[in-house]
Amino acid sequence: MKDRFGREIDYIRVSVTDRCNFRCIYCMPEKGIAPKSSEDILRFEEIARFLKAIAPLGVSKVRITGGEPLVRKGIVDFVAMVRHIPEIQDIALTTNGSLLAELAADLKRAGLDRVNVSLDSLNPEKFRRMTRGGNLKSVIKGIEAALEHGLVPVKVNCVVIKGFNDDEVADFVKLAIDYPLTVRFIELMPIGESVREGMELVPQDHIARILGLKLEPVKYPEKGAGPAVYYKIPGGKGYVGFIAPITRHFCAYCNRIRLTSDGKLKVCLASEEEIDIKAPLRGGASVEELQRIFVNALMKKPEGHRMNVVPFRKTKRTMCQIGG
Ligand code: SAM
Ligand code: SF4
């Protein structure tokens, strides 16, 4: 299914909760966000019904996110529901990794293909500060469990923030040398808490300079290359990647749409445009009606975001309410 700008939209990011057991400084306010009642949140059966309706339109990749998706009860059964949709070829999950050690085996059995684990510091004390209470060891165990149970490729996503963790980029690269992990550095986006806290991104070129990377980018051989540029460090077991939504603007290749946990389609991460699917789902909309809503939403997808032009502005939702 193509949008107005000829982009093939084959990927949906589904946020299943906006709750989280961490409070990352750039994502969640210290006190958390006002919890939504369970009535406001789409039931797993409702999400699955929607995915089943739109999959024949060409949506073949699903990423489950949050908030922290692994804190929602029934998440393993939800993965199995998605796995039963024949057109869905790739199911991935983005997690903070803290509960992955206990759930990795069940998630794999239910049909999950792979995970991305968000990890912004390798120093236990700094990690605790950046997540406001997280335990680094539990995340490392989660990454180990993901590798052990074949939720691969395992990608480790690190949002680099000036003055917080930009001194650790070389340590992260070492992870990709020593382990079969894909470590990706992500530019901080001016959404929600990062704006309120006045945090600064570290541009991709700057990180590459710190690392003295003179390598040529390589083609990523695994599933889910996404908008990143990848490098292989000689002798290393994994890959290093960069995702630069601000300095490298990849909107021309954007293939995704987002669904929030309260049932709104978001056609662009940076846009306030939201299309409700909860009311139609609960009102008994047919497959054709759901498809029509989806196609109309796609037609509202803008050509690109303007985060690099208008960097500081208030957004209705913080990132934990969108799903990244
Ligand atoms: N809780 C899960 C996790 O942390 O992986 C899933 C949800 S979290 C909102 C998804 C991703 O968004 C995380 O990798 C997080 O680092 C990233 N994120 C949150 N706020 C961001 C921002 N302002 N700029 C860039 N990435 C951000
Ligand atoms: Fe939670 Fe993920 Fe946001 Fe951190 S980045 S507060 S783990 S939703």
Side-chain angles (χ1 to χ4, degrees):
M1 183 76 223
K2 286 202 166 101
D3 74 356
R4 287 180 300 149
F5 303 98
R7 295 172 295 197
E8 193 75 50
I9 309 300
D10 60 1
Y11 173 24
I12 187 163
R13 296 178 65 101
V14 177
S15 171
V16 294
T17 179
D18 46 18
R19 296 183 187 217
C20 186
N21 53 346
F22 285 3
R23 296 276 180 277
C24 298
I25 48 174
Y26 56 88
C27 178
M28 247 295 178
E30 187 162 13
K31 294 195 177 106
I33 48 162
K36 290 209 159 37
S37 74
S38 57
E39 244 328 271
D40 287 336
I41 297 292
L42 287 183
R43 290 188 283 279
F44 282 139
E45 291 73 16
E46 292 170 330
I47 305 175
R49 187 147 66 84
F50 182 69
L51 294 178
K52 209 168 163 189
I54 63 168
L57 299 178
V59 178
S60 59
K61 299 177 204 161
V62 174
R63 174 170 298 279
I64 301 166
T65 177
E68 174 46 44
L70 299 186
V71 301
R72 183 159 171 189
K73 261 208 211 111
I75 189 72
V76 172
D77 295 337
F78 176 61
V79 169
M81 285 180 207
V82 181
R83 186 79 283 168
H84 279 107
I85 303 173
E87 295 89 351
I88 305 285
Q89 288 158 18
D90 185 27
I91 312 175
L93 177 121
T94 295
T95 171
N96 64 27
S98 59
L99 302 171
L100 196 51
E102 53 198 88
L103 286 168
D106 288 345
L107 288 165
K108 181 70 189 180
R109 258 196 304 276
L112 185 69
D113 290 308
R114 58 200 177 89
V115 291
N116 288 6
V117 180
S118 306
L119 175 58
D120 300 324
S121 176
L122 296 170
N123 171 314
E125 179 52 28
K126 200 199 286 183
F127 182 81
R128 196 183 56 72
R129 264 187 283 129
M130 287 186 77
T131 55
R132 298 199 185 96
N135 176 347
L136 177 63
K137 237 189 219 157
S138 66
V139 178
I140 301 289
K141 281 193 183 145
I143 293 172
E144 286 168 354
L147 286 172
E148 183 190 333
H149 294 287
L151 291 169
V152 292
V154 178
K155 299 201 185 110
V156 172
N157 288 340
C158 172
V159 176
V160 188
I161 309 173
K162 193 168 170 189
F164 283 87
N165 59 355
D166 46 345
D167 57 336
E168 290 194 53
V169 289
D171 299 334
F172 273 97
V173 170
K174 193 159 182 319
L175 266 191
I177 294 175
D178 296 342
Y179 300 93
L181 295 170
T182 298
V183 172
R184 305 192 302 178
F185 297 111
I186 301 177
E187 286 177 350
L188 180 72
M189 288 180 269
I191 290 182
E193 286 305 285
S194 64
V195 178
R196 219 170 57 81
E197 300 289 332
M199 293 172 180
E200 270 183 68
L201 74 102
V202 182
Q204 169 185 325
D205 288 350
H206 184 78
I207 300 175
R209 253 199 318 276
I210 303 177
L211 295 172
L213 273 185
K214 291 190 193 77
L215 308 168
E216 285 300 309
V218 295
K219 191 171 165 5
Y220 191 59
E222 312 268 8
K223 267 191 201 167
V229 178
Y230 291 94
Y231 296 87
K232 182 96 186 140
I233 311 288
K237 294 186 174 153
Y239 289 83
V240 172
F242 291 92
I243 303 183
I246 308 298
T247 63
R248 289 276 148 88
H249 223 253
F250 38 75
C251 302
Y253 314 101
C254 183
N255 62 344
R256 61 197 63 187
I257 191 161
R258 292 173 166 82
L259 176 61
T260 64
S261 58
D262 56 349
K264 307 279 190 282
L265 284 172
K266 272 186 87 73
V267 290
C268 170
L269 182 59
S271 131
E272 301 289 359
E273 177 91 49
E274 296 186 347
I275 297 102
D276 183 47
I277 62 154
K278 187 172 67 184
L281 273 169
R282 293 193 178 164
S286 66
V287 169
E288 292 72 25
E289 279 162 337
L290 293 173
Q291 289 182 336
R292 204 171 316 123
I293 293 168
F294 180 71
V295 171
N296 287 341
L298 284 198
M299 294 308 146
K300 293 188 174 158
K301 197 169 160 64
E303 190 168 14
H305 71 67
R306 288 169 50 77
M307 287 191 281
N308 45 343
V309 187
V310 197
F312 298 110
R313 68 205 156 77
K314 278 213 168 94
T315 48
K316 240 188 333 201
R317 293 177 186 260
T318 66
M319 201 64 112
C320 57
Q321 295 167 301
I322 304 172

